[in-house]
Amino acid sequence: MWPAIQWENNKVILIDQRKLPAQEIYVECTDYHHVAEAIEHMIIRGAPAIGVAAAYGVALGIRNIDEKADMDEAFDKIISRLAETRPTARNLFWALERMKKTYENSRGLDLLRLKQRILEEAQLIEYEDIQTNKKIGAWGKALIKDGQSILTHCNAGALATAGYGTALGVIRAAFEEGKKIQVYADETRPFLQGARLTCWELAKENIPVILITDNMAGYFMQKKMISLVITGADRIARNGDTANKIGTYSVAVLAKENSIPFYVAAPCNTIDFNLAHGDKIPIEERDPREVREIGGKCFTLPDIEVRNPAFDVTPARYISAILTENGIARPPFEESLANCKRED
Amino acid sequence: MWPAIQWENNKVILIDQRKLPAQEIYVECTDYHHVAEAIEHMIIRGAPAIGVAAAYGVALGIRNIDEKADMDEAFDKIISRLAETRPTARNLFWALERMKKTYENSRGLDLLRLKQRILEEAQLIEYEDIQTNKKIGAWGKALIKDGQSILTHCNAGALATAGYGTALGVIRAAFEEGKKIQVYADETRPFLQGARLTCWELAKENIPVILITDNMAGYFMQKKMISLVITGADRIARNGDTANKIGTYSVAVLAKENSIPFYVAAPCNTIDFNLAHGDKIPIEERDPREVREIGGKCFTLPDIEVRNPAFDVTPARYISAILTENGIARPPFEESLANCKRED
C-alpha cells in the first residue's frame, strides 16, 4: 500500500526517500548491514519507520546464522550495529529492545523456528505501527474542525512510519471524515522532507497542500492563516519535552506567540520514560554537506563552516497536547502520559 | 571596492547576485529598462542597493533623450518604470523621489548640464549610502561585546548597499575594532542570500561565519550560543514596525522568547513616516518557482501550490533598537526615530 518498508522474499525493500518525488526507486536490503546503512543515509527516515526497519534488519541478520551456538554473539552484534545508526529517535531503541526480549524468550526454539519467531515479531511491529497510527488519527481528528488550516513540519506521514502516518495520519483521518482542510507544509531544510515527501504523500490523496519555506511559517501564523500545528516526534521525555526535526522548536514558539494550538502526534513507543526532561535527549549532528549542498550542488563556499543539528527539543510548555494511540494527553504530561507507560 | 553597483563609461555595472558565490559575473546595463529588469530579477537586491541602482537607472534613462522638450514626459516614464520593479523596499521610492526633486530643481539647466546634474545626484546617493553605513557601523559596534556571537538573516551587507552594509556594516565595524566575534548566517530560503552572499562577503574579510539553515536559528538561541541578532530592513513604519526579508519576524520572536536583543540596522531613508504602523507595508509575493526550485532544479512536485511572500513585518515590540546613521533609537520608536525625520 505505502512503500516505505516491505518484507518480501526474505529481503527488506525500501523506497529511496532521498530520491522522491522525482524518482521512485526501491532499494533491496539483503543483510542487516544494508539496513543499517539505509538508516544512516536516510534512504529510510522517520522515527517509527526506523524502528520497523531495524526490527526487520534483525530478522535479516539472523537468517545467515547457521549454527545455534553462534547465535548469541551474532545477535548482539546485529543489535549493536543497528543501534548505532541514529541516536535521537526513541523508536529505534524501543524496537531493538523488543526484538531482544523476543529473542531471549525464544531461545528454547530450534534454529529455524527461532528465525521465524524473530521475523514474526518484526512483522508484528510493522502491523502494530499502522494500527497505532490509525488510532492516533481517530483520536486526533477531533481536534481539526471543518475549514481549518494545518501547518506541519517535516514528514510524519506514511513514509515516516509503517504506513498512514502520525501527524499526517491525523490529517488523513480528518480528511477521510469529509472535513475541508488546507495543509501548509514547511519545506524542511536541509533534507527537504516537507517539499519532497509530505507534498508527494498529500498530493497523491488529493489533500490540499501549500508548500512554503521554513521561514514563512511565522508569516502565515501572523496573518491568521494557520489554525493549528501538528508534527511528529522522535523522542518524548516523560515531562512532555519533545525532540523532533530541526525547526520544530521554532514553529512551536511561533504558534504559542500567535495563540495557535501546537500538537505532537506520536506512538507511545516514542516516549522515553527514563528521561525526566528533554535536555538529555541526544541530538544528532549530521554531515555539513547537507547544509552546504542541495541535490548535490553546493550553493555556498565549499569550505564554509557549518552546523547541522538534525533535531531540536521543544519544551513541554509549548505543546498543547500529545496525541498517542491511547488518547489525547494534555499538560501536565507527566500525569497524562502515564497511561502510555503501562503499555510500554 | 565592492562590486554591487558601479557607474562606468556611462553604464551601470552590477555583479549578478543570483550567480554568487560560484561565479562572479558582471552585468552591464545600458538603458533604464535593463536596470529595472535587473532589480525585478534580483541581479541586484537589498533595499539600499536597489535605491542606488534606481537612481543610476534614472541617469541612464535620460542620457538617450535628445530634445529638452521631450524630457518631462520621458522622465515620468523612467520613474514609473523603475518604481514598479519591487513594492516593499522604501529606499527605492525614496531614491526616485529624490531624483525627481533634483530634476524639478534643475529644469532651468541646458540639456547636457541637466543630464550631468542628474548623474551627480545618483553618484551622491551612492556616496552617501556608504558614509551612512559607516556611521551606522560606528554607532552599532558599541552593542557588540568582545567574544559575542551574532545571528544575521538574509544579506544586509556590502552587496545589499552601495558598500559596507547595514547589519554586516555593524559586524564589520566591531570586527575592525579587533573584537573577537562569531557570526551565524541563516541560509535564507528561497533565494539563499545568507548561504550565497553573506558567507561570501564575510569569508572574504576573514570574519568567522557559520552557516545554518533558517530553521536552526531557534536551536542555537535555545542553546545560548547567540548573543544578539542584527538584520537589515526594507521598510520601517514610524512606530518601528519593520518589513524585512521573509523569516525576520520568526527570528525576532525567537530572540524575544530567549531574551536575546534583536537589532535592526538601516539608513533613515528606509523609514516611511507616512505609515503609522507596519500593517500597510505592501508585501511582495514572488514567483512560486523560487520555492519549488533551487538552482533551477525542482525538488517537489512541479505543480504543487506554493506561497512565496518575500518579506514579513516584525512588530516594533520585538525590536530592541533600530540603528541608523543618527544613532541608536530605542523604544518607543515614534519618538526616538523623529531625528531621522528631520534628515528625510
Side-chain angles (χ1 to χ4, degrees), chain B residues 155-197:
Chain B
N155 170 272
L159 288 167
T161 60
Y164 205 71
T166 53
L168 294 195
V170 174
I171 288 168
R172 275 197 170 87
F175 184 76
E176 285 165 5
E177 218 180 24
K179 283 174 182 158
K180 268 188 72 170
I181 55 173
Q182 173 66 59
V183 179
Y184 283 78
D186 280 349
E187 69 173 9
T188 319
R189 278 280 287 148
F191 202 68
L192 297 170
Q193 289 94 334
R196 299 190 304 100
L197 309 178

Side-chain angles (χ1 to χ4, degrees), chain B residues 180-294:
Chain B
K180 268 188 72 170
I181 55 173
Q182 173 66 59
V183 179
Y184 283 78
D186 280 349
E187 69 173 9
T188 319
R189 278 280 287 148
F191 202 68
L192 297 170
Q193 289 94 334
R196 299 190 304 100
L197 309 178
T198 295
C199 288
W200 185 72
E201 262 198 62
L202 296 179
K204 275 208 173 196
E205 296 177 20
N206 296 312
I207 301 176
V209 56
I210 293 174
L211 174 64
I212 59 173
T213 61
D214 299 301
N215 56 21
M216 291 174 190
Y219 174 88
F220 289 104
M221 291 190 198
Q222 201 187 20
K223 295 268 174 205
K224 312 219 173 298
M225 292 170 73
I226 309 288
S227 317
L228 60 136
V229 182
I230 309 182
T231 73
D234 287 82
R235 192 186 296 220
I236 301 174
R238 65 170 185 264
N239 73 339
D241 290 354
T242 295
N244 191 46
K245 180 51 53 197
I246 188 74
T248 304
Y249 164 68
S250 301
V251 170
V253 168
L254 287 161
K256 193 172 192 192
E257 191 73 7
N258 287 283
S259 306
I260 295 166
F262 179 88
Y263 300 119
V264 170
C268 287
N269 60 39
T270 311
I271 304 168
D272 186 346
F273 284 99
N274 296 319
L275 291 184
H277 49 74
D279 290 7
K280 291 283 186 309
I281 299 176
I283 299 297
E284 178 183 13
E285 184 116 359
R286 293 183 61 84
D287 191 325
R289 282 176 301 184
E290 289 184 356
V291 173
R292 289 191 201 116
E293 298 175 7
I294 307 174

Side-chain angles (χ1 to χ4, degrees), chain A residues 270-290:
Chain A
T270 311
I271 304 168
D272 187 345
F273 284 99
N274 296 320
L275 291 184
H277 48 75
D279 290 7
K280 292 283 186 310
I281 298 176
I283 299 296
E284 178 183 12
E285 185 115 0
R286 293 183 61 84
D287 191 325
R289 280 177 301 182
E290 290 184 354

Side-chain angles (χ1 to χ4, degrees), chain B residues 272-339:
Chain B
D272 186 346
F273 284 99
N274 296 319
L275 291 184
H277 49 74
D279 290 7
K280 291 283 186 309
I281 299 176
I283 299 297
E284 178 183 13
E285 184 116 359
R286 293 183 61 84
D287 191 325
R289 282 176 301 184
E290 289 184 356
V291 173
R292 289 191 201 116
E293 298 175 7
I294 307 174
K297 192 177 161 188
C298 180
F299 284 88
T300 183
L301 303 174
D303 55 353
I304 200 84
E305 193 176 344
V306 156
R307 289 292 306 271
N308 186 16
F311 304 93
D312 58 26
V313 175
T314 299
R317 66 179 181 279
Y318 297 101
I319 301 170
S320 311
I322 297 174
L323 322 179
T324 75
E325 64 272 34
N326 292 334
I328 298 174
R330 300 267 183 189
F333 294 112
E334 194 114 17
E335 291 167 27
S336 60
L337 292 176
N339 65 341

Side-chain angles (χ1 to χ4, degrees), chain A residues 130-323:
Chain A
I130 296 175
Q131 300 313 310
T132 293
N133 288 340
K134 292 201 167 163
K135 281 184 204 160
I136 295 171
W139 287 109
K141 68 183 178 184
L143 299 171
I144 301 177
K145 293 193 189 81
D146 194 53
Q148 285 192 320
S149 292
I150 305 124
L151 177 76
T152 190
H153 187 71
C154 195
N155 171 270
L159 288 166
T161 60
Y164 204 72
T166 52
L168 295 195
V170 174
I171 288 168
R172 275 197 169 88
F175 184 77
E176 285 165 4
E177 218 180 22
K179 283 173 183 160
K180 268 188 73 171
I181 54 172
Q182 174 66 60
V183 179
Y184 283 78
D186 281 349
E187 69 174 9
T188 319
R189 278 281 287 146
F191 202 67
L192 297 170
Q193 291 93 334
R196 299 190 304 98
L197 310 178
T198 295
C199 288
W200 186 71
E201 262 199 61
L202 295 179
K204 275 208 173 197
E205 296 177 19
N206 296 312
I207 301 176
V209 56
I210 293 174
L211 173 65
I212 58 174
T213 61
D214 298 303
N215 56 20
M216 291 175 190
Y219 175 88
F220 289 104
M221 291 189 198
Q222 202 186 19
K223 295 269 175 203
K224 311 220 173 297
M225 291 170 73
I226 308 288
S227 317
L228 61 137
V229 181
I230 309 181
T231 73
D234 287 82
R235 193 186 295 220
I236 301 173
R238 66 170 185 262
N239 74 338
D241 290 354
T242 295
N244 191 46
K245 180 50 53 197
I246 188 74
T248 304
Y249 164 67
S250 300
V251 170
V253 168
L254 287 161
K256 193 172 193 192
E257 191 73 7
N258 287 283
S259 306
I260 294 166
F262 179 88
Y263 301 119
V264 170
C268 287
N269 60 38
T270 311
I271 304 168
D272 187 345
F273 284 99
N274 296 320
L275 291 184
H277 48 75
D279 290 7
K280 292 283 186 310
I281 298 176
I283 299 296
E284 178 183 12
E285 185 115 0
R286 293 183 61 84
D287 191 325
R289 280 177 301 182
E290 290 184 354
V291 173
R292 289 191 201 115
E293 299 175 6
I294 307 174
K297 191 176 162 189
C298 180
F299 284 87
T300 183
L301 303 173
D303 56 353
I304 201 82
E305 193 176 344
V306 157
R307 290 292 307 271
N308 186 17
F311 304 93
D312 57 27
V313 175
T314 299
R317 66 179 180 280
Y318 297 101
I319 301 171
S320 311
I322 297 173
L323 322 179

